[in-house]
Amino acid sequence: MIYFDNNATTQILDEVRDAMLPFLSDQYGNPSSAHALGNKARVATDRARKQIATCLGVTSSEIVITGCGSEANNQAIIGTLLNHMDTPGKNLVISAIEHPAVLATAQWACKRFGFECRIAPIKIKDHQIDPQPFLDCIDENTVLVSVMAANNETGVLLPLVPIFKAARSVGAICHTDAVQGIGKIGIKPLEVGADLLSFSAHKFHGPKGIGGLFIRRGIKLESLIHGGSQENGRRAGTEAVPNLVGMGAAADIAQNTDIEAIAKLRDMFEERLLALYGNKVHINFRDLARTPNASSVQFKGQDGNLLLIKLDRQGFCVSTGAACSSGSLTPSKGLMAMGLNQREAAATLRISFSKLNTVAEVEALLEALPKIVKKN
Ligand code: PLP
């Protein structure tokens, strides 16, 4: 099996698993317990929190651990809106290509709580995503602007800095879903002007079932999970110690990811693919700033779902777009929001690399593709 679906999830690194193992066996203490076993867990979770904070260039007290990236996005959006319930006529602004963990949450919360959900369309200008449609949506009634750092389907980076500058000027909270950012673009919330930033361990070689939200010092969010005083009273529940230790180790390693090496592998794939197929393939958004690991490829006139199935039979894991819509027959809404038509979106495969992929694996894929694509 050769794995090229690293935007869906990544393999847990051996170092990460090894760091977790003691906490899955004899180190089973509860970090809130006052005895020695509890203390060991507390030391380990404090260390992990520090590793995550260091990776993001922030302080430990600004990190709230969550059960996943989706929860972090829910906390950011719902937690912000709950602070503005008594002032009617407010709005929030998101992009048209947000992951459902932002899009569905924003739409649900706006409908439920009486806010206007403004969805900024994606326009490409001078080989970059134009911030203007976002600026057009932001006004003095905007309470939250939530824009992803990197798109999960294409790897395309969004222009956070000018958007958040405009948001800040009207006093709105700035949130970025950076689930596809860590380990790929070395994102730092303070550099892009984010007040809130979501992340998820399984996207950067950590375990599933754990993520977190950076909450800039001074920003107050309503909590969603009430109970004990964990996470400084911001998210109740006994810490998932093994997962948190794993996320800390993964964040520590992610800081030193050789991003250029991954980009080299991706670029080699794209160049060889173009040489092989000429204008029968099109690399979507190749001229835009992208994460180094993602390649969104249109096999013109082909059915991406069929290609995925055939590649799977040959032992290759790829995707047709967002993991949650893979296998569905409707082409990706995200790709269409980026300007592709239905046919183009349906012909697209997402090949997403990680530092664990090798040149030999890319060559194997390039060898397998012609047999599959030709027969289709
Ligand atoms: N946001 C983005 C951009 C994602 O790609 C994903 C996962 O695919 C999520 C949020 C959800 O993260 P999680 O799977 O940890 O809930």
Side-chain angles (χ1 to χ4, degrees):
M1 194 268 298
I2 299 183
Y3 190 74
F4 290 120
D5 198 13
N6 289 282
N7 275 14
T9 197
T10 54
Q11 186 180 345
I12 295 191
L13 295 176
D14 291 350
E15 303 91 305
V16 171
R17 185 201 52 219
D18 292 347
M20 292 171 70
L21 279 178
F23 301 93
L24 288 163
S25 56
D26 57 335
Q27 299 293 321
Y28 52 84
N30 182 330
S32 299
S33 296
H35 46 64
L37 200 62
N39 193 45
K40 282 199 171 144
R42 167 64 58 209
V43 169
T45 52
D46 284 352
R47 178 165 182 263
R49 195 181 298 276
K50 177 92 188 110
Q51 286 172 315
I52 295 155
T54 304
C55 173
L56 293 174
V58 301
T59 58
S60 289
S61 60
E62 293 175 301
I63 300 293
V64 168
I65 303 303
T66 62
C68 56
S70 300
E71 184 191 325
N73 286 337
N74 273 258
Q75 172 65 74
I77 294 166
I78 301 170
T80 303
L81 295 192
L82 286 174
N83 276 339
H84 294 276
M85 297 291 279
D86 42 6
T87 36
K90 299 286 180 185
N91 67 69
L92 76 74
V93 175
I94 61 172
S95 82
I97 54 170
E98 293 301 316
H99 186 275
V102 164
L103 180 64
T105 307
Q107 288 179 321
W108 173 83
C110 282
K111 194 164 171 220
R112 187 75 180 72
F113 303 147
F115 289 76
E116 184 192 348
C117 184
R118 295 184 177 169
I119 302 183
I122 297 296
K123 296 231 163 70
I124 295 167
K125 192 177 161 198
D126 301 331
H127 306 292
Q128 42 190 328
I129 293 189
D130 185 1
Q132 194 56 47
F134 291 83
L135 309 192
D136 294 341
C137 288
I138 296 170
D139 63 22
E140 66 284 359
N141 286 317
T142 304
V143 295
L144 174 68
V145 175
S146 177
V147 180
M148 68 197 330
N151 178 251
N152 44 302
E153 296 186 65
T154 58
V156 166
L157 307 183
L158 283 96
L160 298 183
V161 173
I163 297 170
F164 286 168
K165 194 169 164 222
R168 192 169 305 283
S169 74
V170 297
I173 299 280
C174 304
H175 168 243
T176 185
D177 173 350
V179 165
Q180 295 291 347
I182 295 184
K184 292 168 190 157
I185 52 169
I187 185 157
K188 303 264 190 285
L190 302 181
E191 282 174 12
V192 296
D195 301 307
L196 308 170
L197 178 145
S198 307
F199 52 93
S200 177
H202 75 98
K203 305 288 186 180
F204 54 95
H205 300 288
K208 293 172 184 59
I210 191 147
L213 182 66
F214 155 76
I215 305 178
R216 191 166 61 76
R217 192 190 312 277
I219 302 287
K220 296 262 175 294
L221 288 187
E222 283 283 336
S223 296
L224 303 185
I225 302 188
H226 300 270
S229 60
Q230 292 92 350
E231 305 300 324
N232 281 327
R234 293 175 293 186
R235 197 252 189 195
T238 301
E239 293 86 344
V241 179
N243 283 353
L244 179 45
V245 167
M247 180 156 71
D252 196 34
I253 295 167
Q255 286 180 85
N256 302 316
T257 308
D258 187 349
I259 287 171
E260 273 166 30
I262 305 175
K264 229 166 137 184
L265 211 58
R266 189 267 315 267
D267 293 346
M268 169 203 143
F269 167 72
E270 291 185 345
E271 275 152 31
R272 298 261 304 263
L273 194 68
L274 287 169
L276 213 60
Y277 287 103
N279 62 7
K280 291 205 178 105
V281 299
H282 175 74
I283 317 278
N284 297 323
F285 315 112
R286 196 175 182 221
D287 55 341
L288 267 61
R290 293 180 293 166
T291 52
N293 77 312
S295 189
S296 172
V297 185
Q298 252 183 69
F299 290 87
K300 291 186 188 166
Q302 311 267 335
D303 176 345
N305 275 303
L306 213 57
L307 291 181
L308 180 146
I309 293 164
K310 288 182 177 179
L311 279 169
D312 186 33
R313 284 200 197 123
Q314 303 280 323
F316 294 95
C317 303
V318 301
S319 159
T320 48
C324 45
S325 63
S326 233
S328 83
L329 293 174
T330 44
S332 149
K333 287 198 185 90
L335 289 175
M336 298 211 294
M338 291 278 295
L340 268 61
N341 64 33
Q342 194 152 342
R343 193 172 27 84
E344 291 166 336
T348 292
L349 280 188
R350 178 184 73 183
I351 293 118
S352 49
F353 304 88
S354 85
K355 66 178 187 177
L356 298 178
N357 289 123
T358 62
V359 170
E361 287 179 339
V362 174
E363 278 171 350
L365 176 62
L366 288 162
E367 257 170 50
L369 274 170
K371 298 171 209 144
I372 290 162
V373 174
K374 196 170 56 198
K375 280 192 235 141
N376 191 15

